[in-house]
Amino acid sequence: MSLFDELEQIRTAALQALDEAATREELEAWEKRTLGRKGAVTLQTRSIGKLPPEERPAFGQRINVIKQELEAIYTTRAQAMRHAELTRELAGGAVDVTLPGRPVTPGHLHLTTQTLRQLYDIFARMGFEVYESPDVELETYNFDLLNIPAYHPARDMWDTFWVDDQRLLRTHTSPGQIRAMRERAPEPLRVILPGKCYRYEQITARSEHQFYQIEGLAVGRNITMTDLIGTLRQFTSLFYGAERQTRVRSSYFPFTEPSIEVDIDCILCGGKGCPVCKYTGWLEICGAGMVHPVVLENGGYDPAAWSGFAFGLGVERPAMMKYHVKDIRYFYGNDLRFLRQF
Ligand code: FA5
């Protein structure tokens, strides 16, 4: 029997079976058997290759015509059956139109978004405006202009995903410092730069390869380290509560000089020592420092006349401390049991 005859036989058998399907279950089973991904008609397309090339178009067209014909009859029958069922239900009083509708569950903001908004609010009170800068960044902005030339070892800490040989997914929000300064120089500025950062990073309970940061930058005529420490103290007190203690340690970043790291006393043990603070009593909350003269200059400010401070905060990690989240992977795991708690 030719493949064309076989196709016609499949059509006749399918039409007959469709005619005999008496319930919705039977009708749906027919649809799956005939028109589904592995249905009899669908599978015929695989036979096309067995035909001589000149017969293939006609065969393909015939399959399509049969498919459309069967689908049309199937849809009409399925609708008629649904209609009959509804009419029957209504006649039997099975539908109580006075019952309340199914409630629509309202969604709510993600924990990261909630945290970001708290941070915007806190820094807005201190006069910082939000400045957005791009996720896909030029290598020069992410590194060179921040005083991290190609040979600098700090680049190893901030390995990332490259888009091409000049553009990358930013490893931190610090390149936004240059963009904000170049736009505003020579006026004083006070901005926070929120956004996603990306790193070629081993994923652990504390580290993701994609996470948020908020950068802070203030440039003015007489800005000092005291302004920086005061700003961060105000932040910790508004975000974590007035009872939190802060501690400042000296540190190193190529784009700040001098550089510091700021800790708060451990929220869980209150400074006594526990596994979360690794028995030190302190938790690190951010890196910061006075903007390096080279960076000020790259931003368009004369370092002899202007000074500034900058800090870089995570968003998920501070939220983990505040809300006692043990693993950063919960944030983007899309598990509603986690998300609904906040
Ligand atoms: C920086 O990224 C500096 N740009 C911060 C800075 C800005 C210093 C301005 C001085 C002046 P660091 O790599 O430590 O520094 O990251 C800052 C914060 O981002 C960390 O404290 C942490 O909260 C968060 N962070 C860093 N890597 C990850 C990660 N893999 N997953 C989640 N959060 C991270």
Side-chain angles (χ1 to χ4, degrees), residues 41-304:
V41 175
T42 317
L43 287 179
Q44 284 299 298
T45 46
R46 295 203 188 154
S47 306
I48 291 180
K50 294 184 204 151
L51 285 166
E54 65 279 9
E55 288 181 13
R56 289 179 192 170
F59 191 72
Q61 275 159 17
R62 184 66 191 140
I63 295 177
N64 284 339
V65 169
I66 291 175
K67 252 189 170 170
Q68 281 163 9
E69 174 194 25
L70 293 174
E71 259 163 18
I73 303 175
Y74 162 77
T75 312
T76 317
R77 288 215 53 197
Q79 278 170 352
M81 265 188 203
R82 180 80 193 119
H83 190 257
E85 266 171 31
L86 281 175
T87 317
R88 235 177 296 129
E89 274 177 27
L90 278 171
V95 178
D96 181 353
V97 289
T98 63
L99 280 175
R102 287 197 191 112
V104 179
T105 330
H108 73 283
L109 295 177
H110 191 279
L111 180 56
T112 304
T113 314
Q114 290 183 38
T115 311
L116 278 165
R117 292 194 180 179
Q118 288 176 39
L119 296 171
Y120 298 162
D121 184 43
I122 290 172
F123 287 107
R125 288 197 228 173
M126 292 187 261
F128 287 82
E129 58 180 301
V130 174
Y131 185 97
E132 304 236 17
S133 69
D135 286 31
V136 178
E137 190 48 281
L138 289 165
E139 177 188 5
T140 40
Y141 280 76
N142 197 80
F143 292 123
D144 301 78
L145 294 169
L146 291 173
N147 206 22
I148 316 174
Y151 58 79
H152 200 290
R155 286 209 182 194
D156 293 346
M157 286 194 305
W158 289 309
D159 198 1
T160 183
F161 306 91
W162 290 76
V163 176
D164 54 35
D165 57 3
Q166 282 171 14
R167 285 175 302 170
L168 44 75
L169 297 183
R170 66 172 167 200
T171 58
H172 49 179
T173 42
S174 303
Q177 289 188 29
I178 303 285
R179 291 185 181 274
M181 284 192 280
R182 287 193 170 176
E183 198 180 292
R184 301 289 170 85
E187 296 297 321
L189 71 84
R190 208 182 300 176
V191 290
I192 50 168
L193 307 130
K196 268 193 210 134
C197 303
Y198 309 81
R199 290 186 192 177
Y200 181 64
E201 184 109 77
Q202 166 116 42
I203 296 171
T204 65
R206 280 170 50 77
S207 299
E208 267 288 0
H209 64 279
Q210 190 177 320
F211 55 93
Y212 277 86
Q213 278 187 350
I214 281 201
E215 189 92 0
L217 172 68
V219 180
R221 289 270 176 197
N222 290 302
I223 291 190
T224 66
M225 188 67 118
T226 322
D227 299 313
L228 169 59
I229 294 171
T231 304
L232 292 173
R233 285 233 164 101
Q234 178 74 352
F235 153 71
T236 50
S237 139
L238 289 171
F239 187 71
Y240 295 105
E243 68 282 10
R244 290 271 73 82
Q245 304 288 312
T246 44
R247 172 175 87 162
V248 172
R249 283 177 291 119
S250 67
S251 182
Y252 171 76
F253 295 98
F255 32 89
T256 44
E257 179 58 38
S259 305
I260 56 169
E261 252 160 357
V262 180
D263 301 339
I264 51 169
D265 60 329
C266 179
I267 290 180
L268 287 190
C269 65
K272 288 192 201 78
C274 71
V276 172
C277 61
K278 299 198 187 97
Y279 301 97
T280 62
W282 297 96
L283 294 169
E284 182 207 310
I285 56 158
C286 74
M290 300 308 292
V291 181
H292 196 289
V294 168
V295 177
L296 274 178
E297 209 161 351
N298 289 338
Y301 291 90
D302 172 7

